[in-house]
Amino acid sequence: WPLEHFTRTPLVIGSGADVRVVWELNRLNHLVALGRAFVLTNDERFTEEFLLQLASWHEQNPPRFGVNWTVAMEAAIRAVNIITALELFRGSPRVNDQAIELILKMLLAHGRFIRANLEFSYRAASNHYLSDLIGLFVIGMAVPEFDESRDWASYSTQRLLREMDRQVLTDGVDYEGAIGYHRLVLEIFALFFTMNRARGIQISSRCWDRLEAMFDFVRNYLKPDGTAPMIGDSDDGRLITFKPRAANDHSYLMSIGAVMFESGKFKQSNIVDEEAVWWFGNKGHDIFAALIAGEEPASRAFPEAQIFIQRAATNHGPLYAIIGCGDHGARGRGSHAHSDALAIEVFAFGRTFLRDPGTFVYTASEDDRNLFRSTAYHNTVRIDGEEISQTREGWPFAFAANVRPKVNLWQSDAERDVLDAEHYAYQRLAAPVTHRRVVTLDKRKGYWTIEDNFTGEGRHLFEFFFNFDAGLDVGLDETNCATASGNGATFSIVPSRALKLEAKLDARIEPRWVSPAFKTRLESSAIIYSLSAEVPLKVTFELFASRKP
């Protein structure tokens, strides 16, 4: 990227380059790793490297010039990491007056840039604005000597609390509709609440309840193996990285939540995660150790976000599914959602079988961006080759008209979980169609039934997508039953006959990609069932998992 004033610096330069990759490195999360190493070893080589890297970064990225100064969010997260690293190095004699002068100069430039370039929008404020505010807050609280610090801290405090009401739904889910960004937003609010509590600043119990609900959403969406599903976008962004983790590993949040709320329901293991120890110190470790672990999460509905989680315990292992019925994010205005209404992700007997594809890239390729958020890459139904959520050229983070399914029924008891929902995206067709999907988990027998009902007018092409995780052996038999095997378990999809006997259900295997982390993709496969038929139409599938004896 050219070293131009930030107002003239391009975000897209072609050749497959993705600015998100550059920004991630320049958030300087790795300086915290150097700080952790110094705390554990007292080796001054880590301090020397920390100071050399800061000086080098400052020289190569003068304030307001270059791609690392194009948005306030990047400056804000970078400032938080510089301050966190400085706290870890505070005992080093190498952090002398000269070093402190450089760091203060950098932080003052960051604070002024953030304050002048806040990413607020009355239409759709997002995690960007929250990141701006937490950066401004941390600088203001950590360096009270700046003339602007008191104003920065006060301004950001008021707006972070206001944005919590605006951006976090009453059921605790970030309103952008993407689980990857829920994690980032939760980290932002967790740091804000922790710093205020440490300084004896009171925050209302209503806001604390909302924060606890955010942790509770994580507790519920984590799969039995501790990994997170991939509903919506994820660029793997973190606020502070105290330990390298896979992009879908959100489990450490449970240790932080357990200590913050002194609640055993968030204690999933007797071993505290490292993040909670760096976050809260020895006191946090002792709080965690004294807690009694709560019960395993059960099936759960998040009605405002319209996310539904089905669970069952079987003799061969736990079953889990998550179904997304939310809108385009930011209350329909668009953000990080995919074209995936009524899509399902399924985990059974130790691994994920049906999954969301992830994100892969943002600005590096418009084609890849739209491929990974397409209907065909999600476990739902496409009609007449049309996307559920229509893309538009040059709109990488938005769709056309909002799609928000209607939930007809959520019922959960000891016998079964039933979700009944429908969407109207295909009412725009010349011959309109409504898609209604009923997903039932039979907890006693341990299998799912997916019933897709279509009402409306005319003849249409219906495609039913089942996208599998990487590393599975996928096949079709002569009766069009699909299987996917791996790790000693087999997942089967058994289609029923359509109600209209003249309708022929075809099946094929297609290559796919899944993206377990940003800028990473792995080969996978999908089973696509298709038929051309008139409506009304009903097609059902039974989903079984089995394990080799």
Side-chain angles (χ1 to χ4, degrees), residues 141-162:
M141 296 295 280
V143 194
E145 293 82 3
F146 292 153
D147 289 343
E148 299 99 323
S149 288
R150 182 186 295 273
D151 174 68
W152 290 347
S154 174
Y155 180 92
S156 54
T157 293
Q158 295 173 26
R159 282 153 183 80
L160 277 166
L161 293 174
R162 184 178 69 188

Side-chain angles (χ1 to χ4, degrees), residues 24 162 181 205 225 252 264 423 521 524:
E24 179 66 27
R162 184 178 69 188
Y181 284 94
S205 60
D225 64 354
Y252 65 93
H423 75 79
R521 62 181 181 179
S524 62

Side-chain angles (χ1 to χ4, degrees), residues 369-396:
R369 169 66 174 146
N370 287 331
L371 181 67
F372 275 78
R373 61 181 186 150
S374 69
T375 301
Y377 264 50
H378 294 81
N379 304 308
T380 185
V381 182
R382 185 172 69 184
I383 302 178
D384 293 341
E386 294 285 331
E387 289 292 314
I388 294 174
S389 300
Q390 294 174 285
T391 58
R392 290 183 178 176
E393 186 176 354
W395 284 23

